[in-house]
Amino acid sequence: MSSSSLPSYTGDASPYGGGDPYADYRTPGPSGFSFTRYADLADRRLGAGVIAANDEFFAERENLLKPEAAEFDPEHFGHKGKIMDGWETRRRRGVSAEQPHPTDEDHDWALIRLGAPGVVRGIVVDTAHFRGNYPQAVSVEGTSVAGSPSPEELLSGDVKWTTLVPRTAVGGHAANGFAVDAEQRFTHLRVNQHPDGGIARLRVYGEVAPDPAWLAALSTFDLVALENGGQVEDASDRFYSPATNTIQPGRSRKMDDGWETRRRRDKGNDWIRYQLVEQSEIRAVEIDTAYLKGNSAGWAALSVRDGESGEWREVLPRTRLQPDTNHRFVLDAPAVGTHARIDIYPDGGISRLRLFGSLTDQGAARLAARHQELGG
């Protein structure tokens, strides 16, 4: 397995000088990290969680997976010291006055349960606002364990861990990104900081790899849902919010939890293109505009194609949408395909798209073979 850091940050971050706390925050630049086009497998909305940590003296481990950016309040102190919006451990010490420093092997760790098992393409270890208290280095390991293992079971010594990010120096107050090349399915990660310190946020970007046996037991399910292996391939516009929001679990709870485009000033229209979990028969469609009131799409149409080179076939003609409403449609005949596209007219947004149906025999066979390839 290999990992590469993009880019490399060296040296300490400058002390906070007041004003905008993100003014000197270090990122990879306007182009960002290439792997962030994938879904965040450690998203709380998918069911991810920080299930254990060896130490969280200054700041709780659960902060690692908060969806929003880390905040900084220079006046926020508690009985234990400065309260940080991240995971922060106490300072490690050596064993005696003669050996006051921690050893090279000493480190703190946190166990992450991914919200959806999958193939990891990239990891961001964000040290936002940790300037003089970030770790010297980090490393990340992954494993795949069926069911719902306890922290004790994961740490028992019987579990095989694969290195995704080798021990690598990181920068403070920076988004430290690591491209990962490990063609395996993972369910849990172990994040290590050497020897101690704080991490604000963890993002784990990749492709969901669902369990074929679970989907077969469901029979009919949402074929485009992120948790079932669906994904967004492309979208015409991501100005206000990401298109991936449309295949997140549950209904939208606020306006920016859906997909909203900028206002069009031409005669075109906006769209999202999806890849289904595998070749499927779509029998019913839900288009939800929850919390989109003065900015919901006016009309929508759905098309399906089978294979990368297949022709697009309209299966739901252009239909009027209502604001803040869940619209349900039963198709006249099952639509077989591997990809779907929703076109909205002329602009605006939708909050969720659900495509209900089941895998074809060919789709189920390919999904099972892929699962086996990934070590499932």
Side-chain angles (χ1 to χ4, degrees):
M1 307 309 164
S2 63
S3 167
S4 59
S5 177
L6 301 169
S8 177
Y9 298 111
T10 58
D12 292 332
S14 300
Y16 175 59
D20 179 5
Y22 274 106
D24 57 345
Y25 177 66
R26 289 173 286 176
T27 69
S31 60
F33 297 116
S34 62
F35 49 73
T36 55
R37 69 181 185 275
Y38 296 103
D40 181 6
L41 303 179
D43 193 321
R44 284 287 303 174
R45 290 175 292 180
L46 284 176
V50 187
I51 61 174
N54 71 303
D55 186 283
E56 48 185 333
F57 186 85
F58 286 115
E60 296 83 0
R61 64 184 191 249
E62 288 84 2
N63 290 335
L64 279 173
L65 304 188
K66 283 184 178 178
E68 62 275 358
E71 297 181 353
F72 181 72
D73 182 353
E75 306 298 327
H76 197 191
F77 286 83
H79 294 294
K80 294 180 180 179
K82 182 73 184 73
I83 296 176
M84 297 293 291
D85 186 10
W87 169 50
E88 185 181 7
T89 66
R90 73 193 78 198
R91 300 188 188 216
R92 281 185 170 268
R93 297 292 184 246
V95 296
S96 66
E98 290 72 29
Q99 296 178 315
H101 303 293
T103 69
D104 289 342
E105 291 73 34
D106 286 341
H107 67 276
D108 293 320
W109 53 264
L111 291 177
I112 312 296
R113 179 190 65 245
L114 296 180
V119 181
V120 178
R121 300 302 185 192
I123 295 173
V124 174
V125 178
D126 190 349
T127 57
H129 313 304
F130 287 91
R131 297 169 179 270
N133 50 350
Y134 61 93
Q136 182 183 40
V138 299
S139 60
V140 183
E141 302 157 281
T143 190
S144 182
V145 179
S148 304
S150 68
E152 292 74 22
E153 289 169 325
L154 290 169
L155 299 171
S156 65
D158 299 326
V159 173
K160 177 187 176 183
W161 291 88
T162 299
T163 298
L164 303 183
V165 179
R167 184 169 175 169
T168 306
V170 293
H173 196 44
N176 300 273
F178 305 90
V180 176
D181 180 17
E183 204 66 21
Q184 294 182 38
R185 179 181 187 266
F186 296 103
T187 61
H188 295 76
L189 300 187
R190 182 164 60 191
V191 179
N192 306 303
Q193 49 178 343
H194 308 267
D196 54 35
I199 298 170
R201 296 289 188 267
L202 177 74
R203 306 292 185 230
V204 182
Y205 296 101
E207 301 168 63
V208 175
D211 181 354
W214 174 254
L215 296 183
L218 295 177
S219 182
T220 296
F221 58 92
D222 183 357
L223 303 160
V224 76
L226 185 59
E227 60 189 321
N228 292 333
Q231 55 184 301
V232 168
E233 283 194 330
D234 200 2
S236 61
D237 188 288
R238 300 177 176 87
F239 189 83
Y240 287 113
S241 45
T244 303
N245 281 352
T246 61
I247 54 175
Q248 289 282 3
R251 294 198 73 196
S252 174
R253 297 184 178 182
K254 53 182 180 175
M255 193 174 73
D256 67 350
D257 192 20
W259 172 60
E260 182 189 359
T261 71
R262 75 189 79 196
R263 299 186 188 215
R264 276 192 171 266
R265 302 308 188 200
D266 58 22
K267 299 302 181 182
N269 74 283
D270 289 316
W271 51 266
I272 305 175
R273 188 175 73 242
Y274 304 90
Q275 181 176 312
L276 308 183
V277 56
E278 246 300 344
Q279 188 189 63
S280 310
E281 286 189 352
I282 303 169
R283 294 188 289 275
V285 177
E286 281 189 3
I287 303 173
D288 196 351
T289 58
Y291 287 94
L292 295 164
K293 299 181 180 180
N295 51 354
S296 67
W299 294 263
L302 183 75
S303 300
V304 172
R305 77 177 183 194
D306 191 23
E308 293 290 345
S309 58
E311 295 290 329
W312 288 105
R313 296 174 291 109
E314 190 175 74
V315 297
L316 181 69
R318 193 178 304 189
T319 303
R320 187 76 170 95
L321 299 182
Q322 299 299 322
D324 195 26
T325 301
N326 192 25
H327 309 76
R328 291 180 170 176
F329 309 94
V330 176
L331 300 184
D332 294 335
V336 176
T338 56
H339 296 74
R341 169 176 165 145
I342 188 167
D343 285 88
I344 64 169
Y345 301 89
D347 56 19
I350 62 172
S351 60
R352 294 290 187 271
L353 175 70
R354 307 293 187 213
L355 304 179
F356 294 104
S358 55
L359 296 174
T360 64
D361 290 343
Q362 184 180 19
R366 286 200 299 244
L367 188 66
R370 175 64 171 161
H371 188 68
Q372 189 171 12
E373 282 179 16
L374 296 175

